[in-house]
Amino acid sequence: MADLDQAIPYLQQALGAAPADHSDAKYLNNLGMGYRGRFQRTGQKAALDQAIQYLHQAFKAAPADHPDRARYLNSLGIEYGDQFQRTGQMADLEQAIQHYHKALGAAPAEHPKRAKYLNNLGTGYQGQFRRTGQMADLEQAIHYLQQALGAKPADHPDCARHLSNLGTGFQDRFRRTGAVADLISSTESFNQALSCSFSAPLVRIMAGMSAVNNLWREEKWNDAAHTLE
């Protein structure tokens, strides 16, 4: 925390020393991310407010063709998501989804972070579905989460997390509709996540547990036992 506290004043100085004919977007983004780090460490609302303020300024300062514009918008979406978790206000979640949409629109098809932006948008709609109960939100979530999987290589380290998110989307739809096909798709997604050897072990373990829960629901005892091995 001491290092972060020391970094923020230097980031502020860098912003103040930027040439008048130079875009401030990078410096504003760095400062916003510094305050984001402080919020993550302390939970202080003031730090979150500062992060949102500077990240807003960063994307406003970035021209439409700026190579990092999508990243700035995505970061801002994440901060509104953090604010939603803190306040429970739907307006914050709507702002998060809006900025994820903008980030995706600013990222061409070959953008290396496009899968991440698609996943964030999908999980944003998942969160909205859980608050509103609207099936349209869940359908949007599944749509973007499926696109996220198709936008990245199979050996991507985030593969298990993205597959788990999709598995949860199918699981949510099964609970609403009772369609067995969704339960099967959910289990397949969780099993694929479990098989992602290049992803974080904890994410894979949690996916495996979710797959087992689905298999128990289907009364596929042998498959559930095999997954546990």
Side-chain angles (χ1 to χ4, degrees):
M1 189 63 193
D3 290 342
L4 185 57
D5 286 337
Q6 290 177 355
I8 288 176
Y10 286 116
L11 292 170
Q12 290 171 325
Q13 290 178 30
L15 175 61
D21 60 348
H22 192 281
S23 172
D24 289 340
K26 177 180 178 180
Y27 304 105
L28 288 163
N29 180 74
N30 290 345
L31 189 52
M33 296 305 288
Y35 278 109
R36 181 183 184 228
R38 176 179 284 178
F39 167 72
Q40 290 175 324
R41 291 291 298 274
T42 67
Q44 293 175 351
K45 183 181 183 298
L48 179 57
D49 291 342
Q50 290 279 58
I52 290 174
Q53 175 188 331
Y54 284 114
L55 290 170
H56 247 300
Q57 293 178 27
F59 99 81
K60 291 286 188 182
D65 59 350
H66 194 288
D68 289 325
R69 185 175 172 83
R71 178 164 62 89
Y72 300 158
L73 286 161
N74 181 70
S75 295
L76 186 54
I78 291 171
E79 291 314 293
Y80 274 115
D82 287 343
Q83 186 155 278
F84 168 71
Q85 293 298 325
R86 184 182 178 91
T87 66
Q89 296 294 319
M90 283 299 295
D92 291 326
L93 181 56
E94 290 165 1
Q95 283 281 6
I97 291 172
Q98 177 183 334
H99 285 93
Y100 289 145
H101 266 295
K102 290 180 178 179
L104 186 60
E110 67 278 6
H111 195 287
K113 297 291 187 181
R114 187 171 176 83
K116 178 179 181 179
Y117 303 155
L118 285 161
N119 179 75
N120 288 350
L121 183 54
T123 56
Y125 275 113
Q126 276 184 318
Q128 188 158 278
F129 164 73
R130 288 171 188 148
R131 285 294 300 271
T132 67
Q134 295 294 319
M135 284 299 293
D137 290 329
L138 182 55
E139 297 296 344
Q140 287 279 59
I142 292 172
H143 169 72
Y144 286 113
L145 291 170
Q146 286 176 318
Q147 286 195 21
L149 286 172
K152 67 178 182 337
D155 59 351
H156 194 284
D158 286 335
C159 186
R161 183 164 58 87
H162 291 186
L163 280 162
S164 292
N165 290 338
L166 180 59
T168 300
F170 283 126
Q171 196 175 60
D172 287 341
R173 192 162 69 182
F174 166 74
R175 288 169 177 158
R176 284 293 297 272
T177 67
V180 176
D182 284 329
L183 184 59
I184 293 171
S185 294
S186 174
T187 304
E188 289 176 349
S189 296
F190 287 133
N191 275 328
Q192 289 174 29
L194 177 60
S195 300
C196 294
S197 59
F198 29 79
S199 294
L202 180 59
V203 177
R204 295 172 60 207
I205 290 169
M206 295 298 292
M209 293 172 64
S210 295
V212 168
N213 287 336
N214 283 353
L215 290 165
W216 283 346
R217 186 186 291 268
E218 295 180 79
E219 299 184 357
K220 295 181 177 179
W221 316 120
N222 290 335
D223 290 343
H226 177 71
T227 301
L228 288 170
E229 292 175 354

